[in-house]
Amino acid sequence: MNWAAIFSFLHPMFSVFAASGIVLYILKKEYAPFIQADLDEKQQKSGEHSDDSYKGGA
Amino acid sequence: MNTISIIFWIFIFLYIGIASLLAKYIKNSNDFYVMSNRGTTLLITGTLLASFLSSSTFMGIAGIVYENGPPIFLLVFTSWIGVVLAALYTGRQLRASGCKTMPDFLEYRFGSSVRIIGTIIMLVGLIGYGLIQLMGAGVVLTSITGLSYELMIILFIGVLLIFGALGGMWAVIVTDTVMCITFIIATFYIAPAGIIESGGLTAITETLYRENPLYFSSGGAVLQAPIGWSVGQFALWALFMAAAPWLATRVLPAKNDFVVMKSAIWSILLATMMVTILYLGVFAVRVLNPAIDPPDGVLIWMAQTLVNPVVGGIGIAGIMAAILSTTSTIFIFAGFALSRDLYERMSKRELSDKEKIGAARISQAIIAALMLVIALMQPVSIYWIGAWAGALFAVSWLPVLVAGFHWKKANKYGIISSMIGGTISYILLYQMVERWGTFTLPYGIDPVIPAVIISCALLYVVSITGKTEQSYIENYEKMKAVSLNEETLNQFEGKRSALVKDYKSTRNLAIFSSIIAFIFFGYFIIEVALKV
């Protein structure tokens, strides 16, 4: 097994993984809470809306 | 006039034309320095890629790979991770601090004396690195185009001056992006053509491997460098790129954080794939012609011999673009350092915006004149400075930036000791090990590693023994109070659906790029690495 040859291709591959990993980490840590809050808000609104519809239907 | 000369002249006029068109966007100093933060993913990716892939990638290092085999540089081309760190770590931190240049940050955290020392070291490093690239490429292009070296240098610097002074950051970023198209053609068409014409990947795994198995060693068939050299180069490039001003500050013109993240992913994905294909291609052509002289011209030989003249011409244009784009970037940052970081800051009164643009343009002219004189005289000392230049950023800037971002107790005495001590220790170690042969370092490691350790040690010891001024502690606390996502979240205030859309597209790109990288490099591991 020629490790120099293998690492020649593993090295750039891991660099792309590292970039993607850092970006996913930043998204999760710094932006996901805001996205989640948005989703919760939407869900809440749609829940209220369906409640209203139900009441209206009755 | 041959085809190459025609392409050369087209390029010269293209650059001037683009710069003239973009000059109208320069209304204030913010436009000149950071494009008023209007950089899109396409533009920031283009400029990151163009700044990173220099003339060395397509000429000097391509020549080394042609003679030594692919692993020697595929292994140590660690600038990959350096570029990722420059954009996603250093660049984001600088953006959050509201800085337009790296010395801006030094001023904010440690005061004016630190800024002046940092700017001077940066100027020496930038000019040394830029000139070595320009002069080396000038010599090779002279032999190909038939133009004299002097005329080549005057033309290149003249063009750099015109578009740098007229269009500022706009010109650099837009031309970088345009030039990227030619790089991509040069690599994704000409390099595979080299592999196919040589007989496919078996030319690499059988013919050339049988000729000399050392082609697939980490130290190369001719250089036979020790493993410590590979480790040292790995560390040098990673540390150097993470603190290189033309990369770290390249994300400052970006519109927002999502643009920074997407550009970092695109540029690293494209750069790794391009360089891998390129180096396999230039190595494979040994089967067709093992005596290309100078070896630096291997890609030019491929462009002239293996593909049709139009594509070959675009490929050669790509090499010229690489020279111009890297030099232009370095050139404009040297001008910025002179105008914004030295002149504007030392001025006793606040300059008007018109005066700031004027100072920036005059600084570009001063840097152009200086580079012209040095490039024409070719003093021996410039080769020394060129050899030190990359490492100067690693030893004098990186520890300082990291301490500035994360260590409250770092004070100006520690920073100055680190910058000056790191620089001197690197230069002395380099001279003693590489030039004078006074002693050797264990396993052939690069002097940058002990020099970075010395720089960090000085920063720590002097900082903890000295007193940190209260105002700079307050600046640190102010800086830490600003979260890295604040600017972007403010931008998306009231536009929740746009925020969600950008979030999802960035996340999908991160996943997509990993899958592409896995397939692409996995293929070469199976078809090349496991067969030698």
Side-chain angles (χ1 to χ4, degrees):
Chain A
M1 188 99 52
N2 186 329
W3 288 106
I6 290 170
F7 275 113
S8 296
F9 302 108
L10 279 181
H11 168 216
M13 182 166 80
F14 285 146
S15 299
V16 178
F17 290 171
S20 302
I22 295 169
V23 165
L24 289 173
Y25 173 77
I26 294 169
L27 288 174
K28 187 172 166 44
K29 187 169 166 252
E30 298 182 25
Y31 292 98
F34 298 94
I35 304 295
Q36 192 55 47
D38 183 61
L39 286 175
D40 291 345
E41 203 176 299
K42 273 185 188 160
Q43 268 179 352
Q44 203 178 352
K45 271 185 188 166
S46 78
E48 280 169 13
H49 181 70
S50 61
D51 281 353
D52 289 347
S53 309
Y54 176 73
K55 279 171 196 167
Chain B
M1 194 180 274
N2 60 27
T3 317
I4 298 175
S5 298
I6 294 168
I7 293 162
F8 176 80
W9 286 108
I10 290 173
F11 244 67
I12 296 289
F13 288 114
L14 180 71
Y15 250 79
I16 296 171
I18 291 174
S20 311
L21 287 173
L22 292 170
K24 67 178 179 189
Y25 288 105
I26 308 297
K27 303 270 192 311
N28 54 51
S29 60
N30 216 23
D31 288 330
F32 196 89
Y33 287 115
V34 289
M35 292 173 67
S36 291
N37 298 99
R38 282 189 277 176
T40 59
T41 302
L42 176 69
L43 290 174
I44 303 298
T45 302
T47 194
L48 269 173
L49 202 53
S51 308
F52 168 62
L53 298 174
S54 65
S55 54
S56 301
T57 315
F58 293 100
M59 298 172 89
I61 299 176
I64 295 173
V65 169
Y66 167 75
E67 289 190 313
N68 288 276
I72 188 166
F73 267 97
L74 286 180
L75 278 175
V76 300
F77 224 128
T78 326
S79 356
W80 306 139
I81 200 68
V83 173
V84 174
L85 293 174
L88 296 177
Y89 172 70
T90 319
R92 286 186 81 232
Q93 297 274 358
L94 291 171
R95 269 180 77 90
S97 322
C99 300
K100 288 190 178 65
T101 63
M102 275 170 39
D104 271 359
F105 176 72
L106 289 189
E107 167 94 21
Y108 179 70
R109 273 293 276 121
F110 305 111
S112 58
S113 50
V114 173
R115 186 205 71 235
I116 291 170
I117 294 167
T119 306
I120 291 169
I121 294 174
M122 189 170 92
L123 267 172
V124 172
L126 285 172
I127 292 173
Y129 188 71
L131 272 171
I132 286 298
Q133 297 259 348
L134 183 68
M135 287 158 60
V139 170
V140 177
L141 285 178
T142 295
S143 65
I144 298 162
T145 58
L147 297 172
S148 71
Y149 171 82
E150 286 76 14
L151 180 61
M152 186 73 71
I153 295 294
I154 291 169
L155 273 171
F156 266 137
I157 293 184
V159 173
L160 293 179
L161 172 64
I162 291 170
F163 89 81
L166 281 180
M169 188 59 94
W170 267 105
V172 171
I173 288 189
V174 173
T175 49
D176 272 359
T177 306
V178 173
M179 301 307 158
C180 255
I181 296 164
T182 54
F183 297 171
I184 290 170
I185 292 173
T187 45
F188 286 133
Y189 190 92
I190 297 172
I195 297 172
I196 293 164
E197 289 288 323
S198 307
L201 290 174
T202 49
I204 296 172
T205 56
E206 288 176 18
T207 318
L208 291 169
Y209 183 65
R210 266 202 305 272
E211 184 187 305
N212 188 351
L214 285 179
Y215 282 136
F216 284 91
S217 62
S218 63
V222 179
L223 284 175
Q224 296 187 26
I227 190 73
W229 179 86
S230 304
V231 174
Q233 289 292 309
F234 193 95
L236 169 65
W237 282 94
L239 299 173
F240 159 43
M241 287 290 172
W246 61 93
L247 284 173
T249 52
R250 199 31 63 104
V251 300
L252 300 185
K255 266 185 189 168
N256 56 46
D257 228 6
F258 294 116
V259 169
V260 173
M261 290 188 274
K262 284 180 192 169
S263 307
I265 293 175
W266 274 120
S267 56
I268 200 75
L269 179 67
L270 286 170
T272 49
M273 287 166 61
M274 283 166 72
V275 167
T276 302
I277 285 279
L278 175 72
Y279 289 166
L280 288 175
V282 298
F283 177 61
V285 297
R286 284 195 72 83
V287 172
L288 302 173
N289 183 356
I292 296 170
D293 190 33
D296 293 11
V298 56
L299 190 59
I300 294 170
W301 180 87
M302 289 164 73
Q304 287 174 312
T305 319
L306 304 179
V307 292
N308 76 58
V310 176
V311 179
I314 296 173
I316 291 167
I319 298 168
M320 289 179 186
I323 300 165
L324 276 171
S325 68
T326 306
T327 328
S328 69
T329 301
I330 290 164
F331 176 84
I332 203 153
F333 276 101
F336 285 3
L338 200 61
S339 58
R340 183 174 172 82
D341 302 318
L342 288 180
Y343 178 73
E344 271 188 38
R345 299 284 186 170
M346 282 174 168
S347 178
K348 288 197 170 66
R349 63 181 177 85
E350 178 66 25
L351 299 179
S352 71
D353 229 30
K354 205 175 167 188
E355 285 172 320
K356 282 181 186 173
I357 297 177
R361 287 182 167 149
I362 291 168
S363 299
Q364 297 295 325
I366 294 170
I367 294 292
L370 185 68
M371 286 177 82
L372 183 66
V373 170
I374 300 173
L376 290 179
M377 287 171 60
Q378 301 187 63
V380 177
S381 55
I382 192 64
Y383 292 99
W384 291 6
I385 295 172
W388 306 331
L392 286 187
F393 293 104
V395 297
S396 67
W397 270 87
L398 191 64
V400 168
L401 285 172
V402 174
F405 295 145
H406 303 291
W407 194 30
K408 187 161 69 174
K409 287 183 179 167
N411 64 32
K412 71 174 176 185
Y413 306 106
I415 296 294
I416 291 172
S417 313
S418 166
M419 282 185 143
I420 295 177
T423 302
I424 292 173
S425 58
Y426 176 75
I427 292 171
L428 281 176
L429 280 168
Y430 180 86
Q431 291 299 111
M432 287 194 280
V433 173
E434 307 283 341
R435 304 269 168 176
W436 304 329
T438 317
F439 59 87
T440 54
L441 291 171
Y443 309 108
I445 61 167
D446 194 280
V448 75
I449 295 176
V452 167
I453 295 169
I454 293 170
S455 175
C456 293
L458 283 169
L459 199 159
Y460 179 74
V461 172
V462 179
S463 288
I464 56 166
T465 49
K467 194 169 174 264
T468 310
E469 286 176 45
Q470 190 55 34
S471 60
Y472 297 122
I473 292 181
E474 282 165 15
N475 280 353
Y476 173 83
E477 278 162 359
K478 261 191 258 168
M479 184 187 82
K480 292 308 262 188
V482 178
S483 54
L484 298 181
N485 60 4
E486 194 171 300
E487 182 201 9
T488 302
L489 290 175
N490 287 341
Q491 214 177 85
F492 283 93
E493 186 70 49
K495 296 181 221 162
R496 279 289 179 86
S497 58
L499 177 72
V500 174
K501 195 176 154 202
D502 263 339
Y503 173 89
K504 285 184 178 168
S505 63
T506 311
R507 184 194 60 194
N508 293 345
L509 178 63
I511 296 166
F512 165 78
S513 66
S514 295
I515 295 169
I516 294 291
F518 182 75
I519 295 168
F520 182 87
F521 293 107
Y523 173 78
F524 285 110
I525 289 172
I526 293 166
E527 289 299 320
V528 178
L530 293 176
K531 290 187 176 172
V532 294

